[in-house]
Amino acid sequence: MQLRDFLPKIVNGDILGTFQKLDAIESNMEKKEEEIEQLKMDCEHFKARLETAQTDCMREKKEKLDLRQQLNEAKQQLLQQAEYCTEMGAAVCTLLWGVSSNEEAVKTILGGVSMPDVAALACGREFLVSSSRELLDTMMHLLGSMKPGLCTKFKVLMLMSLYNVSINLKGLKYISESPGFIPLLWWLLNDPDTEVCLHALRLLQSVILEPEVLAKSASEMRDTLPFQRIIALSKSRNADLQALAKELLEDLKILEYEG
């Protein structure tokens, strides 16, 4: 009888608790479903943004690729133009060099409006030293600004001109006293082209063999002279370069006495 009295109360209490738990679970499920739905919407939103970003990225990559191609084409054109100008300049200078071996031609050139390289003759050297020092400065500036291994023909022609000017004592003094002349020679001696090195050595020899000029440059030369490079050139396979480098090493012994 007690069981009969208490059982309904117990059962009713359990069922009520179960229903309450079910209600709570259903509420949680609804919230979870809402959260899942919101996450889906967020996912779709971010997916759309990702697709837009990918499209923009692909467009930018294509634009960069196009710009890079245009830049490479421009560089190639510039290089071709530079090579053309160098070859043209070398051809013109070679032509002028040949013409300048004729004294009458040099006088005719000097009487005109052009200012070409006319250093092959004494009158031309005197004219350059006296009236066209800016041209000498320009040549030395160009020699210092050209990278090793490039424009070698043009370098050689300018070095030949400077060497011929150095035959004139006033010309040698002007060149050797120009700021940066000694470092310029060391720079040129490291050029991979044998002709450039050969004519740089000839110009250096002009300085060493002139006592009055050497006296002013001896200290700087003794402190900075790249003996190892000259020794390396004295072992060159180029016979002319080898011979001149060996000769110069003998000439450089004078620096020991100057010290």
Side-chain angles (χ1 to χ4, degrees):
M1 291 180 64
Q2 289 179 347
L3 181 62
R4 185 180 60 189
D5 292 337
F6 285 103
L7 184 59
K9 295 180 181 180
I10 296 172
V11 173
N12 289 337
D14 290 342
I15 292 173
L16 181 60
T18 301
F19 275 113
Q20 289 176 343
K21 290 179 181 179
L22 286 172
D23 287 339
I25 292 171
E26 287 178 355
S27 293
N28 287 334
M29 287 183 64
E30 289 177 357
K31 288 182 180 179
K32 294 296 182 183
E33 288 176 353
E34 290 177 358
E35 291 176 359
I36 291 172
E37 189 64 29
Q38 183 62 45
L39 288 173
K40 286 182 179 179
M41 293 175 63
D42 291 343
C43 183
E44 291 296 326
H45 173 69
F46 287 123
K47 184 178 179 181
R49 290 183 60 183
L50 176 61
E51 290 176 352
T52 301
Q54 288 176 333
T55 302
D56 292 341
C57 182
M58 291 298 294
R59 186 180 68 256
E60 290 179 359
K61 283 184 177 180
K62 186 178 183 304
E63 290 176 354
K64 288 181 179 179
L65 184 62
D66 292 340
L67 289 173
R68 186 175 298 175
Q69 185 175 355
Q70 292 175 15
L71 179 60
N72 289 335
E73 290 175 356
K75 285 182 178 179
Q76 188 63 29
Q77 290 176 1
L78 183 61
L79 180 61
Q80 291 175 351
Q81 290 175 359
E83 290 177 351
Y84 172 79
C85 291
T86 300
E87 293 296 328
M88 179 63 73
V92 172
C93 289
T94 302
L95 180 61
L96 288 172
W97 188 268
V99 172
S100 66
S101 63
N102 184 295
E103 186 169 359
E104 292 302 317
V106 172
K107 290 179 179 179
T108 300
I109 292 173
L110 293 179
V113 295
S114 62
M115 297 288 287
D117 176 12
V118 291
L121 294 176
C123 60
R125 292 191 287 270
E126 182 64 29
F127 176 80
L128 288 174
V129 175
S130 303
S131 306
S132 190
R133 293 186 173 185
E134 289 184 0
L135 180 59
L136 300 178
D137 293 339
T138 300
M139 285 193 286
M140 287 187 282
H141 174 74
L142 287 174
L143 284 169
S145 62
M146 293 178 178
K147 294 182 179 180
L150 298 179
C151 306
T152 54
K153 292 182 180 179
F154 199 31
K155 286 180 183 176
V156 168
L157 286 169
M158 289 190 288
L159 281 169
M160 290 170 66
S161 299
L162 290 175
Y163 173 75
N164 281 337
V165 169
S166 73
I167 296 173
N168 180 296
L169 182 57
K170 288 193 297 183
L172 180 58
K173 287 181 178 179
Y174 181 78
I175 292 172
S176 62
E177 292 172 6
S178 296
F181 173 70
I182 299 300
L184 172 63
L185 285 181
W186 301 170
W187 165 258
L188 294 169
L189 285 177
N190 283 295
D191 197 284
D193 186 80
T194 55
E195 286 294 308
V196 172
C197 293
L198 177 67
H199 291 283
L201 286 178
R202 291 181 67 197
L203 190 54
L204 174 60
Q205 193 174 44
S206 287
V207 176
I208 294 173
L209 295 181
E210 180 52 54
E212 185 179 348
V213 175
L214 178 62
K216 295 183 179 181
S217 306
S219 178
E220 182 180 3
M221 291 177 60
R222 189 167 47 250
D223 294 339
T224 63
L225 188 67
F227 278 103
Q228 294 303 317
R229 175 58 178 167
I230 298 176
I231 291 173
L233 294 176
S234 70
K235 300 175 183 178
S236 170
R237 293 181 180 180
N238 183 293
D240 293 335
L241 181 59
Q242 181 186 122
L244 181 57
K246 288 181 178 178
E247 184 179 329
L248 190 61
L249 287 173
E250 290 296 319
D251 296 335
L252 286 171
K253 290 180 180 180
I254 194 173
L255 290 176
E256 300 175 6
Y257 301 104
E258 289 291 330

